[in-house]
Amino acid sequence: MTITTRFITAAALAAATALPASAQDRPASMTISTASPGGVYAIYGEGVAQLVSDVVGIPTSTRQTQGPAQNLVLLKGGQTELAMTTSGPAFEAMEGKLELAPGDTYGDLRVLFAMYPTPFQMIALESSGITALDQLDGKRVGAGPRAGTGGTYWTRWLGNMGIDASLQYGGIGDQASQLADGRLDAIVTAGGIPHPSLSELENTQDVTIFGMSDETLEGIMEANPYAVEFTIPKGTYKTPEGDLATVAMWNFVVADASMSDDLAYEITKAVLEGNDRMVSTHSAAKGTLAENILKDTFIPLHPGAARYYQELGVEIPDAIAPAGKN
């Protein structure tokens, strides 16, 4: 090797080591874990993937899953770079109480941005006569994917209410078809509004979309501190004659603490500043605003995301201030 060659090699090595961490840690591609087809997660996730691909410059694709619980397991296992989750499964993952990973505490879970609230929703064929949750006893009820938000929480909540329904699990799109042809009596789910599968059902079938009683609302919120009262406004769907009362959980896009600060900053900035594009993907993204990061009350912010909020002047509460790696 000549002196010139040695000099060039040394210079190249020096330049490589001088690169910022974000350049060294920048993946060639990424995935965002969503949920089953037919729900808002799948559509919203496509919007995030396209925006990140175009603006951040890293090819990003979606990964269909059973929903938030599986997404968190994949994220912790390094099998996805971004994950969509509701507040309930995130809380349980951090506490080591996630049903898919009992005892496996996820201390390195970090939030990038808030997505939108996920209300819990109920629909039945009009011919069934079902107009309330307490009429589901003994009925065949679709609850979405078993590990999804609906499948997880409806299973617990109906049991706590003493409602002995025959719960069926699977993709919400498939279950909508089963309701339409009479193989299910009702569907209880959780998703952004308007939910594509519910909208399609009311366009093709005579259905009843109903809400929760005050007693049910109070019981759920008392037992689940991450659930909030929510109103599905009149006009969201065609069939209800007024507002529908229910509960909701906020959704967040999360990453592992190992993601570089610069990359977390770029993703957060790209999505929040691309809100018009996100809303054109699905109207639920109207909630994807910087100030809604304050809907998070316990998941630590990724330092890179925190930098972006600080630039905007968003005051970060101590409860979600960036934390170190655990």
Side-chain angles (χ1 to χ4, degrees):
M1 181 183 294
T2 66
I3 293 176
T4 301
T5 304
R6 285 200 301 269
F7 176 79
I8 293 173
T9 303
L13 288 171
T17 56
L19 286 172
S22 60
Q24 295 181 32
D25 298 338
R26 196 175 179 87
S29 63
M30 295 191 297
T31 62
I32 177 169
S33 293
T34 60
S36 64
V40 180
Y41 260 36
I43 298 171
Y44 184 102
E46 286 288 349
V48 173
Q50 292 172 13
L51 197 52
V52 172
S53 297
D54 293 345
V55 179
V56 180
I58 298 175
T60 303
S61 59
T62 59
R63 176 170 181 170
Q64 294 180 354
T65 68
Q66 293 188 59
Q70 185 182 10
N71 293 348
L72 294 170
V73 172
L74 292 171
L75 186 65
K76 189 174 190 297
Q79 298 178 64
T80 192
E81 288 73 32
L82 298 168
M84 298 163 65
T85 185
T86 36
S87 55
F91 181 87
E92 294 178 3
M94 293 175 66
E95 294 288 312
K97 297 178 180 178
L98 198 65
E99 287 185 0
L100 288 183
D104 190 4
T105 303
Y106 195 176
D108 282 342
L109 185 65
R110 299 293 180 264
V111 68
L112 299 185
F113 56 87
M115 295 163 52
Y116 54 83
T118 284
F120 287 72
Q121 304 173 64
M122 301 77 76
I123 187 171
L125 291 180
E126 189 178 83
S127 59
S128 72
I130 296 171
T131 60
L133 284 170
D134 59 10
Q135 295 174 315
L136 296 180
D137 201 63
K139 303 296 185 181
R140 299 162 300 173
V141 180
R146 181 64 184 88
T149 301
T152 298
Y153 291 96
W154 276 120
T155 301
R156 300 178 192 175
W157 295 350
L158 292 177
N160 292 340
M161 295 175 204
I163 297 172
D164 186 19
S166 175
L167 292 180
Q168 310 293 314
Y169 302 101
I172 193 67
D174 289 341
Q175 294 202 326
S177 298
Q178 292 172 33
L179 180 67
D181 63 22
R183 286 178 288 160
L184 290 174
D185 299 306
I187 290 175
V188 291
T189 189
I193 55 174
H195 195 292
S197 292
L198 271 62
S199 294
E200 182 177 350
L201 275 168
E202 70 170 355
N203 285 333
T204 59
Q205 307 290 323
D206 293 326
V207 299
T208 301
I209 300 174
F210 54 95
M212 294 182 179
S213 67
D214 291 343
E215 181 181 1
T216 298
L217 282 171
E218 291 172 6
I220 289 175
M221 289 190 293
E222 183 177 348
N224 302 271
Y226 36 77
V228 297
E229 189 170 355
F230 189 87
T231 299
I232 300 175
K234 178 182 178 181
T236 301
Y237 299 106
K238 295 186 299 184
T239 52
E241 296 182 355
D243 295 344
L244 298 177
T246 186
V247 296
M249 294 180 191
W250 269 85
N251 297 275
F252 303 95
V253 167
V254 292
D256 190 80
S258 60
M259 176 178 281
S260 76
D261 290 0
D262 285 352
L263 181 54
Y265 173 90
E266 289 182 59
I267 293 170
T268 304
K269 178 181 174 71
V271 174
L272 293 178
E273 294 187 358
N275 185 253
D276 288 346
R277 277 186 61 175
M278 288 300 303
V279 171
S280 70
T281 300
H282 195 284
S283 60
K286 289 183 291 187
T288 307
L289 304 172
E291 57 265 32
N292 282 337
I293 193 61
L294 301 180
K295 301 296 184 182
D296 172 28
T297 59
F298 59 89
I299 312 171
L301 271 168
H302 193 291
R307 188 206 315 168
Y308 180 69
Y309 295 113
Q310 289 162 353
E311 289 178 358
L312 296 181
V314 177
E315 189 171 342
I316 304 301
D318 290 342
I320 62 170
K325 296 180 181 181
N326 295 325

